[in-house]
Amino acid sequence: MPKSARKKEKDPEGRMPLAEHLRELRNRLAKAVLAIVVVAIVAAFYQKQLTDFLSSPVPKCEGRDLAQSHGGNCAVVVFNSLSSPFTTIVKICLLAGVTVSAPIWLYQLWAFLAPGLHKNEKKYTIAFVATAAPLFVAGAWLAYSIMPMSMRVLLKITPESAANTLNLDDILDFTVRMILVFGLAFELPLLLVMMNIAGMVTGKTMVKWWRGVVMGTFVFGAVATPSTDPFGMCILAVPIIILYFGAVGFSMLNDKRRARSNPDRMLSDDEAAPLDLTPQSLGDSEPMPALRDRSEDGRQHAARNGYDDVT
């Protein structure tokens, strides 16, 4: 049975014309966007539950009037404009769509890039994604867990003569930034491991960096955390430092494994393959064959021992 004219055999190395690449990219993007939109529409029916979930870290003044909510014990969640409820709900639904549909659009991204990767590159990519996803989830969970304590620390600064009113849109931005900062920070040790696997850095070199890494991690925690309190800085810095030393241990074990399989790996080219520079005799030189030359006057002369007899 003849094959359809539209159905072409795929190149085993994933090669295709530029128009085919653009067409495939369009199809992959369309599927990813469709998945996000569908999940966002479904999330719209549960927007109240999602709003309560995202605002739950805030210590609310339940059962109290705004005029009575003085000091830093609690806060009142409000909207500052007429359109704020609608825009905030749209943001929450889109955020839920991107998060819940992540397996779909990540697969579309992988399906677009995978044909151009070699076998080893595919193996390392799958291992990277399989490790990066749990680390990001762990960082996001830690961020959401400490947000109530961070908010209480910040609200405690409020004087008794003032009241706290927090915009729900600002709370959403604060929550998203905390989750992204913690989630991405947990990926830093994984990047070091991948650099070690690629041969860009050794475990011994990473050990020498530990003082700068510890100092830089605390500085990063102080600058990157939206809460700007010492508690959030320490909660972010300590797990990263623990993961860093875990990456150092893995890298040193990996270096030992490489050394066992290739003892000359750490040597330079001259050390791994030393050159014998001892002078050796070339033996007797071979005489040049007789050459025939025609001078300007038309006479031929025989070349003797490589020299023209006229010379």
Side-chain angles (χ1 to χ4, degrees):
M1 185 175 180
K3 295 183 178 180
S4 173
R6 295 182 180 180
K7 202 169 186 179
K8 299 180 180 180
E9 293 184 359
K10 293 185 177 180
D11 190 283
E13 297 183 3
R15 293 174 297 188
M16 61 178 66
L18 178 61
E20 292 292 333
H21 275 295
L22 295 177
R23 189 175 295 110
E24 184 183 4
L25 177 61
R26 180 198 62 189
N27 296 336
R28 299 291 181 189
L29 286 176
K31 293 177 182 178
V33 172
L34 180 61
I36 294 174
V37 171
V38 170
V39 176
I41 293 174
V42 174
F45 294 96
Y46 301 94
Q47 53 87 16
K48 185 179 184 303
Q49 291 83 348
L50 292 173
T51 303
D52 293 340
F53 174 77
L54 292 175
S55 62
S56 60
V58 181
K60 302 180 184 64
C61 301
E62 298 292 345
R64 299 174 61 184
D65 186 73
L66 177 59
Q68 298 175 343
S69 59
H70 299 295
N73 296 322
C74 60
V76 176
V77 179
V78 299
F79 289 107
N80 291 335
S81 65
L82 185 62
S83 60
S84 291
F86 175 75
T87 56
T88 303
I89 290 174
V90 171
K91 285 183 180 181
I92 292 174
C93 293
L94 288 177
L95 178 62
V98 173
T99 304
V100 177
S101 65
I104 298 176
W105 58 262
L106 284 175
Y107 170 77
Q108 297 300 325
L109 177 62
W110 168 254
F112 180 74
L113 298 176
L117 300 177
H118 297 291
K119 185 177 180 180
N120 289 337
E121 293 173 341
K122 290 181 181 179
K123 180 180 66 174
Y124 289 136
T125 304
I126 293 174
F128 179 84
V129 173
T131 308
L135 286 176
F136 185 88
V137 171
W141 174 83
L142 181 62
Y144 188 81
S145 300
I146 70 167
M147 273 195 295
M149 290 179 279
S150 298
M151 290 184 176
R152 288 192 181 92
V153 170
L154 295 176
L155 292 176
K156 286 290 184 183
I157 307 174
T158 307
E160 290 295 331
S161 59
N164 292 298
T165 58
L166 302 180
N167 187 7
L168 185 58
D169 196 15
D170 294 336
I171 296 173
L172 176 61
D173 293 340
F174 178 85
T175 303
V176 172
R177 280 186 293 163
M178 284 283 287
I179 290 175
L180 288 178
V181 167
F182 275 69
L184 294 177
F186 272 50
E187 307 292 341
L188 296 178
L190 180 60
L191 293 178
L192 292 175
V193 170
M194 297 303 294
M195 290 173 62
N196 176 261
I197 293 176
M200 300 173 62
V201 63
T202 62
K204 292 183 178 179
T205 303
M206 292 166 62
V207 171
K208 297 178 182 178
W209 295 346
W210 76 269
R211 292 181 179 86
V213 168
V214 171
M215 183 64 184
T217 302
F218 278 99
V219 173
F220 171 78
V223 174
T225 51
S227 59
T228 66
D229 61 289
F231 178 76
M233 175 190 69
C234 296
I235 290 295
L236 175 62
V238 171
I240 294 178
I241 293 172
I242 294 174
L243 290 173
Y244 170 76
F245 283 107
V248 171
F250 175 87
S251 300
M252 296 187 71
L253 292 176
N254 188 45
D255 292 340
K256 290 182 180 179
R257 180 189 62 81
R258 285 179 176 174
R260 287 194 299 267
S261 60
N262 183 13
D264 297 334
R265 187 183 66 87
M266 302 302 295
L267 301 178
S268 64
D269 294 339
D270 292 340
E271 292 173 328
L275 300 177
D276 187 4
L277 302 180
T278 304
Q280 296 181 0
S281 175
L282 299 177
D284 298 334
S285 59
E286 298 180 0
M288 294 182 61
L291 301 176
R292 307 296 297 178
D293 186 25
R294 184 177 294 275
S295 61
E296 294 180 358
D297 57 1
R299 293 178 300 174
Q300 291 183 349
H301 302 280
R304 300 177 180 176
N305 297 327
Y307 296 95
D308 194 309
D309 59 352
V310 176
T311 305

